[in-house]
Amino acid sequence: MREPSEVRRRRILAVVRSRGSVRVSDLAGELEVSIVTARRDVEELARAGKLRRGHGVARSLESAAQAQAQGPASATSDAVDGAAVALVVPERHTYLYETMHGARTVLDAAGIRVALHITPQAAGAERPLVERALADGARGLLIAPRWRTVAEEEAGHSWLAGLDVPTVLMERRPRRGSVLHAMDSVCSDHWYGMHLAVDHLVSLGHRRIMLAARDDSPTARALRSAFARIAGDREEVEDWAVVLSASASEAGDASGPAERQGAGDASGPAERQGAGDRGGPVSGDGLARLLRERDFTAAVLHGDVDALMLVQQLADHAVRVPQDCSVVAYDDVVAAFGSTPLTAVAPPKAAVGRVAAELLVQRLTRPGAPPQRTELLPELKIRGSAQGPRSDRSTV
């Protein structure tokens, strides 16, 4: 027979008063109820003023008052004592692994145990991992959802917004007006990163610039949109185009959009992404043809692993970097290690993780502060892959 809620809540109060504080997950186990039920009981008792509710913890009024009287240091220690934070990042994502390591330095220093969860490439894989982490007692969440498509991103909004533990998004900026608009987030300012890339090429004298980018993450979509706006607004840029790089096909998105029209007309008719591509992702062969057909002298390539591969493929088609085509890579994970070290935009990957973790620690120790949406600025690392355009382009 199911125990009445009034009896169950009296038992919760007795346990909390005897121990001072107790994890909600432990209460659920002892009472043989679900974590959701235990959490609801704790919330009702907190509303009635009979205990204090923390993030995943119920505290007696006496222990909460004692911690407050002892000052901020005691409150911080109490909040992180025995805490575990779930850190969720996609598998095979070197870029976000640097962000992950930045976060761990802060959490380790704060004495917070990190439970790392690697999400597979399947759509919606984050949710069951997060639910399992919360069931295991995680008191906070740092997460970089994969969100390969806009539909996946929108599907992730509703359940993330319903979490009742402090959560900080890393390298993800929910669209304005969405249910996640007010969620804590820390990310790179990718508009500024693309501005750095285009501005550098323009300063070298390039007037015909293209972007070959993926379309399988929020970052990739932000870069494609930023490039179109920036190139379209620069009077010096005579022609520009955005094409889908072939690596997006390898990631499972072979049906990307056709090339966007340049020449100052972002809304003009779409073009094919190189002869024979049928509007699909462009490879080194298609990229070389497009460079010749449109007389582009420079390209921004995202990400830099793809950039190194495309530069190798361009060489196979007699397009030399930087003599025939200047290149700026985006990500700067391995750009420096190419046979021609690539000039690259370097988002502050580790710093994003550190700032996100610092924000999460604040939420654990000082709840109630307004949400923060923080952007950090990328840097441009100048190497050997970009120079001024040749005066004679007839042999490209």
Side-chain angles (χ1 to χ4, degrees), residues 136-213:
D136 289 340
R139 295 168 59 184
L141 174 65
L142 289 173
I143 183 170
R146 185 178 296 275
W147 285 347
R148 289 172 48 190
T149 67
V150 174
E152 285 185 20
E153 180 174 351
E154 292 177 349
H157 283 188
S158 58
W159 69 266
L160 273 173
L163 298 178
D164 64 350
V165 299
T167 300
V168 180
L169 291 171
M170 301 186 300
E171 282 296 19
R172 300 292 181 258
R173 177 55 54 89
R175 61 176 173 79
R176 296 183 182 277
S178 71
V179 293
L180 295 187
H181 189 143
M183 177 172 280
D184 289 316
S185 62
V186 180
C187 69
S188 302
D189 185 343
H190 293 301
W191 183 95
Y192 182 73
M194 187 56 69
H195 163 76
L196 291 176
V198 174
D199 190 67
H200 178 61
L201 292 171
V202 169
S203 72
L204 293 173
H206 294 281
R207 301 295 180 260
R208 308 178 72 83
I209 307 169
M210 63 170 296
L211 168 69

Side-chain angles (χ1 to χ4, degrees), residues 13 34 78 144 244 266 290 311 345 383-384:
L13 275 178
S34 69
D78 179 64
L244 184 67
L290 184 59
V311 167
V345 175
R383 301 188 180 104

Side-chain angles (χ1 to χ4, degrees), residues 46 86 101 156 159 161 171 208 214 239 324 345 368 374 392:
H101 289 303
W159 69 266
E171 282 296 19
R208 308 178 72 83
R214 304 168 65 136
D239 191 16
D324 302 322
V345 175
T374 303
D392 177 13

Side-chain angles (χ1 to χ4, degrees), residues 34-392:
S34 69
I35 292 179
V36 172
T37 297
R39 187 183 295 127
R40 187 182 302 116
D41 287 340
V42 168
E43 290 172 351
E44 288 297 326
L45 290 168
R47 276 194 285 269
K50 297 180 179 180
L51 53 73
R52 294 286 178 86
R53 176 178 175 267
H55 296 293
V57 177
R59 297 184 178 87
S60 69
L61 298 178
E62 293 79 6
S63 66
Q66 183 180 9
Q68 186 174 6
Q70 290 174 348
S74 174
T76 299
S77 175
D78 179 64
V80 303
D81 182 31
V85 163
L87 181 56
V88 181
V89 296
E91 68 171 335
R92 301 177 187 175
H93 206 308
T94 307
Y95 178 108
L96 287 172
Y97 284 0
E98 291 191 39
T99 302
M100 172 190 73
H101 289 303
R104 288 195 61 184
T105 60
V106 173
L107 298 173
D108 288 345
I112 298 178
R113 185 172 65 83
V114 178
L116 177 62
H117 298 269
I118 307 296
T119 57
Q121 297 189 38
E126 289 90 0
R127 183 172 184 174
L129 288 180
V130 169
E131 291 176 345
R132 188 180 311 153
L134 298 182
D136 289 340
R139 295 168 59 184
L141 174 65
L142 289 173
I143 183 170
R146 185 178 296 275
W147 285 347
R148 289 172 48 190
T149 67
V150 174
E152 285 185 20
E153 180 174 351
E154 292 177 349
H157 283 188
S158 58
W159 69 266
L160 273 173
L163 298 178
D164 64 350
V165 299
T167 300
V168 180
L169 291 171
M170 301 186 300
E171 282 296 19
R172 300 292 181 258
R173 177 55 54 89
R175 61 176 173 79
R176 296 183 182 277
S178 71
V179 293
L180 295 187
H181 189 143
M183 177 172 280
D184 289 316
S185 62
V186 180
C187 69
S188 302
D189 185 343
H190 293 301
W191 183 95
Y192 182 73
M194 187 56 69
H195 163 76
L196 291 176
V198 174
D199 190 67
H200 178 61
L201 292 171
V202 169
S203 72
L204 293 173
H206 294 281
R207 301 295 180 260
R208 308 178 72 83
I209 307 169
M210 63 170 296
L211 168 69
R214 304 168 65 136
D215 194 28
D216 59 354
S217 73
T219 295
R221 293 188 288 275
L223 292 176
R224 293 163 68 87
S225 175
F227 179 86
R229 293 197 306 270
I230 293 167
D233 288 343
R234 291 290 296 249
E235 294 183 358
E236 305 97 323
V237 178
E238 299 172 0
D239 191 16
W240 59 270
V242 179
V243 299
L244 184 67
S245 65
S247 291
S249 175
E250 297 165 4
D253 184 12
S255 58
E259 174 190 329
R260 295 190 63 178
Q261 178 77 359
D265 182 10
S267 60
E271 286 188 16
R272 291 199 179 277
Q273 301 172 23
D277 285 328
R278 300 184 180 179
V282 66
S283 62
D285 179 34
L287 184 60
R289 285 199 299 272
L290 184 59
L291 290 170
R292 292 188 174 100
E293 291 168 2
R294 297 277 287 273
D295 201 24
F296 290 120
T297 63
V300 182
L301 305 178
H302 171 251
D304 60 349
V305 172
D306 300 347
L308 290 177
M309 297 175 62
L310 286 170
V311 167
Q312 294 169 6
Q313 294 166 8
L314 286 175
D316 294 337
H317 293 85
V319 177
R320 300 167 298 168
V321 173
Q323 294 91 338
D324 302 322
C325 178
S326 289
V327 166
V328 175
Y330 202 102
D331 276 358
D332 200 36
V333 177
V334 295
F337 303 123
S339 56
T340 299
L342 301 183
T343 293
V345 175
K349 299 175 282 292
V352 166
R354 287 195 298 270
V355 173
E358 289 168 356
L359 179 56
L360 183 62
V361 172
Q362 292 177 19
R363 293 290 179 258
L364 290 169
T365 58
R366 297 188 296 277
Q372 296 185 29
R373 291 165 61 91
T374 303
E375 286 187 328
L376 304 180
L377 298 182
E379 298 179 272
L380 181 69
K381 302 294 182 69
I382 298 177
R383 301 188 180 104
S385 63
Q387 63 181 30
R390 290 169 42 194
S391 57
D392 177 13

